[in-house]
Amino acid sequence: MIGEYERPAASPGGLRLHLNENTAGCSPRVLAALQELTGEDIAFYPDYAEVERETAAYLGVPRDHVVLINGLDEGIFVTTVAVARDTVTGHSPVRPEVIVPLPAFDMYGVTTRAVGGLLVEVMPEPGFGLPVNGLLAAITPRTRLVFITSPNNPTGVRVSLDDIDRVASALPPEALLLVDEAYHDFCGDTALPLISSRRNVIVGRTFAKGHGLAALRAGCLVAHSSTLARIRPIVPPYSLNVCAAAGLRAALADRSRLAWYVAQVDRSRTLIYELCVRLGLTCWRSGANFVLLRVGDRASEVVERLAARSIFIRNRSSEPGCEGCVRITAGVVEHTERCLAALEEILCAEP
Ligand SMILES: *Cc1c(COP(=O)(O)O)cnc(C)c1O
């Protein structure tokens, strides 16, 4: 059985702090760009020349180092299909291995299983730093793909470029390392400086989180052109629809909107840390737009009681190392304040 991606429910109109979405909505310029689309724009197959050029310029890389995709989930999927598909035939059974340090984003396991790869999970270390030694020990001649999320989801913990480089340098020749930078905007960390020297490194970005385009679906893979040559044949030719392409151009151009939102996230993270200090709860410093905190045995009760007030956060208790933990999206400050006031009330009330 291939597990399905989990889609937690939230009632409409509630405070959605469970999926790390942009709680302010996208830039108004994105909506204006969508309104400007003509009937012909919709009727014709999309042309990506401008959006590709502008995305590459935004990232500071040559245009042939970027592949636009229908959200980073698709980037994870096409990369897995490209290098970790089970093509075992005849007498040389070598099942491709995919290494994932835990706790991790669901999609890596879902896609690995879907393409018949063997999922190799590496257990977390205290503090949730990248388990470099565990990763190095898990590498075999059959390793085809390693996923590193920087900063990680659900912990928010940042990963050093050195650690990424150490793993990249230890991989067998055919293997790739996908650095998932879904939350890059909220800390600035990036492995992009590695992609010219390490031809086995691919950086994945999404415009769902910082830029608020989760429902439009837009992301990209960034790597050396010779590396992307292995991926391009798998990407559907019109993967990005015309609305996403137009919306992405508008979102990238609105840099002040992103800067404003990043500042909101930064303040919201601080508010969550302060509450944890006040209540004596463990939490982890986050480079992302969420914070993981340990509320203990009452994690599911807390999540349910908040949901009863239409405030949605995510129970992460079942993830390795995350016993008793919940994850709260840190977005617009006013939203964070509402959530934290309710959380404090629930935690301080008698169970
Ligand atoms: C949200 C998220 C994604 C998915 O991005 P989409 O562009 O919405 O598909 C990928 N990786 C991680 C770690 C995420 O948290």
Side-chain angles (χ1 to χ4, degrees), residues 71-73 76 105 108 149 153 180 182-183 206 208-209 217-218:
L72 183 49
D73 284 348
I76 292 165
F105 185 56
Y108 313 140
T149 316
N153 176 11
D180 181 330
Y183 301 99
T206 174
K209 311 280 162 63
R217 312 301 300 140

Side-chain angles (χ1 to χ4, degrees), residues 201-263:
V201 172
I202 300 188
V203 169
R205 292 278 182 90
T206 174
F207 304 100
K209 311 280 162 63
H211 293 86
L213 305 184
L216 269 184
R217 312 301 300 140
C220 61
L221 295 175
V222 195
H224 193 271
S225 47
S226 61
T227 312
L228 289 182
R230 298 173 65 188
I231 310 282
R232 285 189 195 277
I234 317 283
V235 182
Y238 301 108
S239 166
L240 204 71
N241 75 63
V242 72
C243 299
L248 177 54
R249 294 182 63 198
L252 293 180
D254 196 350
R255 291 189 183 239
S256 59
R257 172 85 180 187
L258 179 65
W260 169 78
Y261 191 63
V262 168

